[in-house]
Amino acid sequence: MSPGPSGTSHEGARNVASRSSRTGGAEVAAQRRVPVLDGLRGLCAVAVLIYHVAYTAGVSNHFADPRADFWGYLTEGMGVFLPPFFVLSGLMLYRPFARRTVTGSGPRTKVVPFIGRRAVRIVPAFWVLVLASILLLDYDKIDGVWFFLRPLLMIHFFVRTEWITGIEPTWTVPTEMLFYVALPALAWLMHKFAHRAATAAQRARRLFVPLVVLVLIGMAWTAYCFLPSTAADVWYLSFFPFGYIGYFAGGMALAVLLSYAEVSPKKPALLRWAAKWPMGFWLVALLAYLANVPHPFGEPGMGNWGALTQQMVLHALFFVFSMCVVIPLVTPGANSKSMNLLLANKPMVFLGKISYGIYLWHVFFIHVVLNNGSMFGKPAVNSGLLRGTVGFGTMLTLVLLGTLVTALASHYVLEEPLNKKLRGYFDRKSRENGDGGTPADPKTGGAAPASAADQPVLTSA
């Protein structure tokens, strides 16, 4: 999520020769692009879009309104494509911290430039969406300045109030931002806990301890949210960041493993397996996706013990899916023609480049297609009340068109220009303080690819 170590811009890094572990060109040590990671972001962003379109078009097998056909089950299962964004954020952003602790090398990351770069990357585009949604879809609901300030300050999902139409999926933005803010302190505490160990292996093992705790916290919070006793608040509490910290921790664990692999005479077993059988990991991911489609124990959120059991199964399956999708893409020496074909093609890589905009804007355009909002002369209602009023094919076509055009404009008119101007300031501050400011490449430990490090969860997803 930052330029290269010598301060080159995001655009400049993009024009440097590609790494090509996936595409066959020459490797450049300091600045590389990892096409499959861009492609993964593009795939996940489009899958999330299809997931929401399928729900609104009334074709997905969703909770109390099931569709018995196979397509309905498959589209409802696409919820698994969101957590990989969190895993990638944990991996990319914790990588320089992990490398410094495990290997004892690398600069100390300065907190203010680190958070500043992250904020510049995700906040301006999010603010534009917020203002557009309020002024175009929820204008008649404005009741004071706090109606604007809650989402602009990213506290809208922590307040018991009606959601703003058009920004419903953006609970992930404050989730990501809180992770950005907390990561330097968390990394410092983990460093203090681990750095005095005598060997790199011992330091790596110590780092896994708090990461396991974070995974357990995520599971515990999820269980609490879906208890029968908290059923009335489940769709309020479950969007708090605590339930998703485990996915970030999974990415951080990969950062630790890859850092240890830099100095270990023998690769860790997980990385050896991923290098030898990369498609085996994707097979496990496919099985996790298919297993998350049926809900044999109950429907999460329905307020009974079966629903709680099912949610915990889904939580585990989402974790397995996310990790197994990402691991072979960041493992040194792993290569798969099938993965290249799916993720490293130019259209998918380009979708990954604008994936943040795709994620931000697609639900806004779902409401536009539904003619739902003040710009159509009527108050916006919950999109669930309009399920099935527009067919899947029509809605998907129109939403894709509006979203792609807006995401392109957001990327080239807003995001990239601001990144170049404002992030340059933070990068200069980082260099002045002896901090390279660049997340490490997941495969080599060098500077991260501009594309790989520059995307939020959703994006980023």
Side-chain angles (χ1 to χ4, degrees):
M1 302 184 106
S2 61
S6 58
T8 54
S9 70
H10 177 52
E11 183 64 30
R14 183 176 294 123
N15 293 329
V16 176
S18 166
R19 165 194 197 287
S20 292
S21 69
R22 305 299 186 182
T23 57
E27 176 170 328
V28 176
Q31 297 171 335
R32 285 177 297 275
R33 187 178 180 89
V34 181
V36 287
L37 294 185
D38 278 342
L40 177 60
R41 290 188 182 90
L43 175 65
C44 290
V46 172
V48 171
L49 181 150
I50 293 173
Y51 172 81
H52 286 131
V53 167
Y55 164 76
T56 311
V59 301
S60 63
N61 177 37
H62 191 78
F63 297 111
D65 188 16
R67 301 291 185 267
D69 60 284
F70 187 64
W71 176 240
Y73 280 104
L74 288 183
T75 52
E76 179 60 20
M78 287 183 177
V80 298
F81 284 93
L82 180 61
F85 286 108
F86 297 136
V87 172
L88 287 174
S89 287
L91 166 61
M92 294 297 182
L93 297 182
Y94 183 59
R95 184 75 170 87
F97 296 100
R99 187 169 186 262
R100 180 170 178 263
T101 300
V102 173
T103 70
S105 63
R108 179 178 298 176
T109 300
K110 300 300 180 181
V111 174
V112 173
F114 174 85
I115 296 175
R117 286 191 295 266
R118 309 288 81 78
V120 167
R121 180 61 186 89
I122 72 169
V123 172
F126 171 69
W127 280 354
V128 171
L129 171 68
V130 168
L131 294 176
S133 297
I134 291 175
L135 297 177
L136 297 177
L137 301 179
D138 266 354
Y139 184 80
D140 54 327
K141 297 179 183 178
I142 298 173
D143 57 5
V145 67
W146 272 105
F147 196 83
F148 289 89
L149 289 180
R150 279 193 298 266
L152 292 176
L153 295 174
M154 299 186 184
I155 60 173
H156 50 304
F157 284 100
F158 304 104
V159 180
R160 290 180 183 271
T161 185
E162 183 180 358
W163 287 6
I164 293 173
T165 305
I167 69 169
E168 292 92 338
T170 62
W171 57 269
T172 58
V173 178
T175 296
E176 281 277 328
M177 198 66 213
L178 282 174
F179 175 70
Y180 300 162
V181 172
L183 181 58
L186 179 61
W188 179 80
L189 290 172
M190 292 171 64
H191 179 77
K192 289 295 183 183
F193 176 69
H195 83 285
R196 294 187 184 279
T199 67
Q202 292 172 341
R203 291 191 290 272
R205 282 194 290 268
R206 285 196 181 188
L207 288 177
F208 282 124
V209 173
L211 295 178
V212 170
V213 172
L214 291 178
V215 172
L216 294 177
I217 289 174
M219 295 178 66
W221 180 261
T222 300
Y224 169 74
C225 293
F226 286 84
L227 284 171
S229 59
T230 57
D233 295 319
V234 63
W235 303 124
Y236 166 66
L237 296 173
S238 62
F239 290 106
F240 279 34
F242 314 119
Y244 306 94
I245 189 63
Y247 302 118
F248 290 107
M252 294 169 69
L254 288 181
V256 173
L257 204 62
L258 291 166
S259 297
Y260 174 64
E262 288 183 45
V263 294
S264 172
K266 185 178 182 181
K267 281 185 182 179
L270 183 67
L271 300 185
R272 295 200 305 271
W273 298 337
K276 190 173 183 179
W277 301 296
M279 286 303 296
F281 281 76
W282 272 28
L283 176 60
V284 174
L286 175 62
L287 294 175
Y289 166 69
L290 294 175
N292 110 94
V293 169
H295 294 172
F297 302 107
E299 292 297 340
M302 293 295 103
N304 54 58
W305 292 106
L308 169 62
T309 302
Q310 185 62 52
Q311 180 59 35
M312 297 311 298
V313 170
L314 293 178
H315 189 88
L317 290 173
F318 279 30
F319 186 85
V320 171
F321 176 87
S322 303
M323 296 295 288
C324 287
V325 164
V326 172
I327 286 171
L329 300 181
V330 300
T331 296
N335 191 33
S336 166
K337 291 182 179 179
S338 298
M339 293 178 184
N340 295 343
L341 183 64
L342 177 63
L343 300 180
N345 63 81
K346 290 183 178 179
M348 195 64 74
V349 170
F350 182 73
L351 289 174
K353 181 180 177 181
I354 62 171
S355 60
Y356 185 45
I358 293 173
Y359 184 82
L360 283 181
W361 285 96
H362 73 279
V363 170
F364 176 92
F365 281 102
I366 287 176
H367 289 287
V368 171
V369 172
L370 292 171
N371 292 342
N372 182 35
S374 52
M375 66 185 291
F376 302 103
K378 53 187 177 183
V381 300
N382 188 303
S383 61
L385 300 176
L386 303 174
R387 285 194 78 197
T389 57
V390 178
F392 176 78
T394 300
M395 179 173 287
L396 180 62
T397 301
L398 295 176
V399 169
L400 265 177
L401 179 62
T403 300
L404 291 177
V405 170
T406 308
L408 277 169
S410 176
H411 183 80
Y412 287 107
V413 177
L414 177 66
E415 297 170 43
E416 285 233 328
L418 280 179
N419 284 343
K420 290 178 182 179
K421 291 182 179 180
L422 299 180
R423 290 178 52 166
Y425 167 79
F426 292 113
D427 290 329
R428 286 192 298 272
K429 288 293 184 184
S430 293
R431 292 193 302 273
E432 290 169 2
N433 289 287
D435 170 25
T438 304
D441 180 89
K443 292 200 169 199
T444 68
S451 61
D454 234 13
Q455 296 288 342
V457 89
L458 296 173
T459 283
S460 7

